[in-house]
């Protein structure tokens, strides 16, 4: 099939199929994240990012490719989550700029647009790393330009882009040693390949252009929305029995050795895990909403029947607290803006309270596996109600979205690059609400180096990293981003990790208990550490964070 001109309608088909492709394969992309911990979210981030952009395109009333691409770029930017999502948004921002004056696209226009996207994305990344989504995008664009010099057929160009992307993806383990060590290709690059494959299917008509395309609002339409509204103020957060609003979509039968799906037994199992259960299914997909204390159990159960195409977890206790505080704080008249505000990103009621006790103005619910979008962060900046704002991402995968939000804000905003919750809490020691923005950024950034960050979580697969043999189910101690400790016993793994974090200058150890940790175990850990290190003081706080039963700071 030859297509010499891409119309607005054809461009929408390309976007529709790309959204369908990345959605269907989001869980597979998640599985490629190199660390063997349950925090792989590249596929989720790229999927939610692209769905937001696709929704903007498909709702646009425009018969002009340039205008549609502009909607795509804007939607992607506002919906961008995680570094992979932000880089994707930059790729298509450059794409959109290139085609802005074009009502239709030729083969050369298409190739030039991919090349422009690469240029924009590389400029947006301070230190581009080869072997990532950037490498895949660059090599794909090169292949597209070469094809455009030889053919006026946009299908030929798109075929070349896909082939170039796949070829570059296969080489990513040779460029990033950690990928080769674990035996995977780059997750972000794989996500981009799926998007480009969707473009080709939409262009050629090989895929079903009317295929179902999920949006971020879809699950909300399935759910009784009352628990998302201000009626929450009638409840006491302490009375919430099941604290996590958990949603997932399962592509039934996908993957190896999947169980046959039975609606009644599936729904009954989930009913036993919580309440407000909603299960909607057809022959291919089951969509789930449930309030539970154990989101991970819900997701693991769903994976027995197929691949997870979409997951979402909200801490309702923290949401209730935020809504109550917001409503109680509603003034009779507009209040003046504070001179200074701080936004911290964290998941867990206890962590929110810790940050607020240190002077944080607004805590945005999010973090590992729940990266907020650019728009989420922008709204949090506004909610801080200040003339100037500092943002603490507390996660390296949120840096780029935070920086894009800072650029889009209508007031002075700076990002202090805290990579961990531990660093974010320590950074607040350098905060002075009477100082100016530059001074606060400098002082808070200086504090980041004064803490060693540790986290404990459980492995979900066998692997070997940096010579450390890890087994599925082992408990791992991660120190400043590197897995250093592994043990079958969680308590011992935490003690070993803390001992590895200590040096002659260490004075204070802070243990933050997650939603799956216990006070008794934390006390036992504290006793073991102080028994071996009499000069060390141990503080214990309740954080309620997901994924990590214990976060540890050493100062």
């Amino acid at each position: 099939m030859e297509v010499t001109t891409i119309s607005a309608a054809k461009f929408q088909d390309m976007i529709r199929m790309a959204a369908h492709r990345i959605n269907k394969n989001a869980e597979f992309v998640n599985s490629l994240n190199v660390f063997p911990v349950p925090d792989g979210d590249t596929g989720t981030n790229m999927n939610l990012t692209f769905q937001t952009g696709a929704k903007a395109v498909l709702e646009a009333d425009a018969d002009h490719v340039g205008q549609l691409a502009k909607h795509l770029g804007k939607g992607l930017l506002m919906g961008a989550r995680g570094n992979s999502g932000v880089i994707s948004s930059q790729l298509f921002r450059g794409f959109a700029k290139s085609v802005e004056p074009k009502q239709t696209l030729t083969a050369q226009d298409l190739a030039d647009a991919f090349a422009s996207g690469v240029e924009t994305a590389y400029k947006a990344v301070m230190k581009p790393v080869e072997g990532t989504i950037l490498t895949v995008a660059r090599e794909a664009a090169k292949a597209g330009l070469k094809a455009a010099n030889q053919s006026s057929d946009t299908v030929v160009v798109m075929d070349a882009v896909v082939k170039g992307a796949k070829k570059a993806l296969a080489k990513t383990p040779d460029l990033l040693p950690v990928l080769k060590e674990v035996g995977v290709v780059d997750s972000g690059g794989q996500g981009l390949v799926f998007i480009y494959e969707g473009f080709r299917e939409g262009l050629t008509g090989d895929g079903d252009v009317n295929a179902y395309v999920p949006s971020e609002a879809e699950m909300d339409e399935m759910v009784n929305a009352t628990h998302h509204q201000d009626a929450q103020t009638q409840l006491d957060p302490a009375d919430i029995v099941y604290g996590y609003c958990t949603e997932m979509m399962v592509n039934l039968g996908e993957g190896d050795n999947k169980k046959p799906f039975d609606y009644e037994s599936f729904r009954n199992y989930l009913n036993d895990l919580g309440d407000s259960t909603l299960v909607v299914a057809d022959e291919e997909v089951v969509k789930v909403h449930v309030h539970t204390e154990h989101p991970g159990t819900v997701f693991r159960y769903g994976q027995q029947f197929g691949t997870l195409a979409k997951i979402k977890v909200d801490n309702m206790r923290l949401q209730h607290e935020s809504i109550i505080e917001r409503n109680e704080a509603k003034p009779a008249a507009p209040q003046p803006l504070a001179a200074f505000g701080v936004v911290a990103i964290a998941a867990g009621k206890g962590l929110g309270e810790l940050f607020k006790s240190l002077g944080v103005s607004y805590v945005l619910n999010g973090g590992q596996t729940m990266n907020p979008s650019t728009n989420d962060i922008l709204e949090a900046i506004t909610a801080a109600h200040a003339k100037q704002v500092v943002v603490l991402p507390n996660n390296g995968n949120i840096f780029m979205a935070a920086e894009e939000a800072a650029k889009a804000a209508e007031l002075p905003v700076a990002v202090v690059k805290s990579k961990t919750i531990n660093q974010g809490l320590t950074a607040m020691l350098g905060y002075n609400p009477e100082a100016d923005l530059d001074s606060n950024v400098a002082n808070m950034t200086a504090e980041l180096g004064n803490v060693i960050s540790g986290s404990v979580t459980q492995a979900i697969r066998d692997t070997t990293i940096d010579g450390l043999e890890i087994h599925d189910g082992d408990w791992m101690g991660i120190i400043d981003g590197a897995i250093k400790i592994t043990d079958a016993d969680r308590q011992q793994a935490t003690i070993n990790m803390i001992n590895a974090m200590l040096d002659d200058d260490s004075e204070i150890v802070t243990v933050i208990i997650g939603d799956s940790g216990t006070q008794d175990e934390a006390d036992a850990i504290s006793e073991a550490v102080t028994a071996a290190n009499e000069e060390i003081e141990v503080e214990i706080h309740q954080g309620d964070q997901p994924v990590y039963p214990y976060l540890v700071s050493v100062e």
Side-chain angles (χ1 to χ4, degrees):
M1 176 184 180
E2 181 178 357
V3 180
T4 56
T5 303
I6 297 176
S7 66
K10 180 62 72 174
F11 185 71
Q12 286 183 316
D13 288 345
M14 293 168 68
I15 298 300
R16 183 181 290 110
M17 284 309 302
H20 183 60
R21 265 287 199 167
I22 187 61
N23 174 65
K24 293 284 286 184
N25 293 283
E27 188 61 30
F28 173 70
V29 175
N30 282 342
S31 73
L32 297 176
N33 284 132
V34 294
F35 289 117
V37 296
D39 62 359
D41 54 4
T42 298
T44 301
N45 287 336
M46 292 187 74
N47 180 35
L48 293 179
T49 298
F50 203 84
Q51 300 305 330
T52 306
K55 187 172 184 289
V57 170
L58 299 177
E59 289 180 350
D61 183 19
D63 190 23
H64 188 286
V65 172
Q67 292 176 13
L68 291 175
K70 187 174 181 180
H71 285 290
L72 175 67
K74 181 68 172 179
L76 289 172
L77 179 60
M78 290 296 100
R81 299 169 188 265
N83 293 341
S84 56
V86 175
I87 292 173
S88 300
S89 76
Q90 295 303 305
L91 286 170
F92 290 103
R93 176 170 172 256
F95 185 105
K97 284 186 176 180
S98 177
V99 304
E100 187 172 356
K102 310 285 185 179
Q103 183 161 358
T104 60
L105 301 185
T106 64
Q108 188 65 56
D109 293 335
L110 182 63
D112 289 343
F114 283 121
S116 177
V118 170
E119 183 179 353
T120 299
Y122 266 90
K123 287 179 179 177
V125 179
M126 292 293 292
K127 295 180 180 179
V129 176
E130 293 305 320
T132 65
I133 184 174
L134 289 170
T135 304
V136 174
R138 187 190 66 228
E139 295 306 307
K142 283 183 180 179
L145 287 171
K146 183 177 180 180
N149 287 333
Q150 301 169 354
S151 175
S152 60
D153 186 355
T154 60
V155 175
V156 171
V157 171
M158 202 62 242
D159 278 339
V161 167
V162 171
K163 290 176 183 176
K166 288 183 174 180
K167 185 176 179 181
L169 179 66
K171 292 181 178 179
T172 55
D174 296 326
L175 299 174
L176 274 180
V178 68
L179 297 179
K180 177 168 283 190
E181 187 174 9
V182 180
V184 297
V185 295
D186 178 67
S187 55
Q190 178 66 80
L192 188 65
V193 167
F194 286 131
I195 290 172
Y196 285 171
E197 286 178 332
F199 272 25
R200 180 181 61 185
E201 290 176 354
L203 180 60
T204 62
D206 291 341
D208 179 5
V209 296
N210 294 312
Y212 169 71
V213 181
S215 70
E216 290 184 73
E218 178 184 276
M219 286 298 291
D220 293 338
E221 295 171 1
M222 297 165 52
V223 178
N224 183 342
T226 56
H227 72 277
H228 294 300
Q229 299 170 353
D230 275 10
Q232 291 175 317
T233 58
Q234 306 302 315
L235 300 175
D236 183 341
D239 293 335
I240 298 176
V241 177
Y242 300 106
Y244 295 94
C245 177
T246 304
E247 300 171 5
M248 68 177 175
M249 183 166 71
V250 184
N251 292 321
L252 295 173
E254 290 194 355
D256 298 328
N257 302 316
K258 297 302 181 183
K259 290 183 178 180
F261 176 76
D262 177 74
Y263 179 86
E264 290 299 327
S265 60
F266 187 92
R267 190 178 190 281
N268 291 340
Y269 179 87
L270 294 178
N271 267 336
D272 291 340
L273 293 179
D275 61 16
S276 299
T277 306
L278 179 66
V279 178
V280 179
D282 59 22
E283 294 179 354
E284 296 181 353
V285 174
V286 58
K287 301 165 194 174
V288 171
H289 167 274
V290 61
H291 293 174
T292 180
E293 283 293 280
H294 305 288
T297 302
V298 173
F299 297 147
R300 284 192 292 272
Y301 183 66
Q303 284 180 304
Q304 296 180 38
F305 301 91
T307 58
L308 301 187
K310 180 179 179 182
I311 62 174
K312 182 172 178 284
V313 180
D314 289 320
N315 185 326
M316 294 190 297
R317 293 186 181 94
L318 186 58
Q319 288 178 329
H320 277 282
E321 290 281 3
S322 298
I323 291 171
I324 291 170
E325 290 174 7
R326 183 174 69 243
N327 285 1
E328 287 179 349
K330 285 180 180 177
Q335 296 295 305
L337 295 175
F340 220 108
V342 179
V343 169
I345 299 171
K349 176 183 176 183
L351 287 180
E353 292 173 349
L354 281 173
F355 274 111
K356 289 182 179 179
S357 72
L358 293 172
V360 166
S361 315
Y362 188 89
V363 179
L364 173 60
N365 187 34
Q368 197 66 42
T369 75
M370 296 182 287
N371 297 160
S373 68
T374 301
N375 194 58
D376 291 335
I377 300 172
L378 194 58
E379 290 179 351
I381 290 169
T382 301
H385 201 66
K387 295 178 181 178
Q388 48 191 346
V389 172
V390 167
V391 177
L392 293 170
N394 302 328
N395 186 304
N397 204 36
I398 302 176
F399 285 179
M400 294 185 74
E403 289 172 339
E404 291 300 324
K407 292 176 187 176
E410 296 180 356
L411 65 151
V413 177
V415 179
V416 172
K417 294 186 176 181
S418 50
K419 293 182 179 180
T420 65
I421 291 293
N422 320 68
Q423 284 192 344
L425 292 169
T426 301
M428 288 303 296
L429 300 179
Y431 171 61
N432 179 2
E434 304 301 322
D436 60 30
L437 186 61
D438 290 341
S439 296
N440 266 313
V441 170
N443 293 335
M444 295 172 76
T445 301
E447 292 287 346
L448 300 180
N450 295 333
V451 63
I452 300 173
S453 301
S455 55
V456 175
T457 193
Q458 194 168 29
I460 58 172
R461 62 184 176 212
D462 294 339
T463 191
T464 300
I465 294 180
D466 293 333
L468 187 65
E469 189 174 331
I470 302 168
H471 301 288
D472 185 7
D474 279 355
W475 292 95
M476 300 173 296
I478 304 173
I479 302 175
D480 285 337
I483 300 173
K484 297 294 185 181
I485 302 296
T486 180
D487 198 286
D489 181 76
R490 184 172 75 179
Q491 181 173 310
Q492 193 59 50
T494 308
I495 294 169
N496 293 346
M497 181 188 72
I498 294 173
N499 287 333
M501 295 167 70
L502 297 174
D503 59 29
D504 292 340
D505 296 325
S506 301
E507 296 179 354
I508 300 175
V509 173
T510 303
V511 178
I512 302 175
I513 305 172
D515 61 8
S516 60
T518 68
Q519 184 68 50
D520 288 345
E521 188 174 44
D523 289 338
I525 292 167
S526 174
E527 290 173 7
V529 171
T530 53
N533 306 273
E534 294 181 358
E535 72 284 1
I536 293 295
E537 177 185 348
V538 178
E539 297 180 356
I540 300 175
H541 298 280
Q542 189 68 39
D544 308 304
Q545 71 274 0
V547 181
Y548 303 107
Y550 300 104
L551 297 175
V552 177
S553 299
V554 172
E555 299 173 78

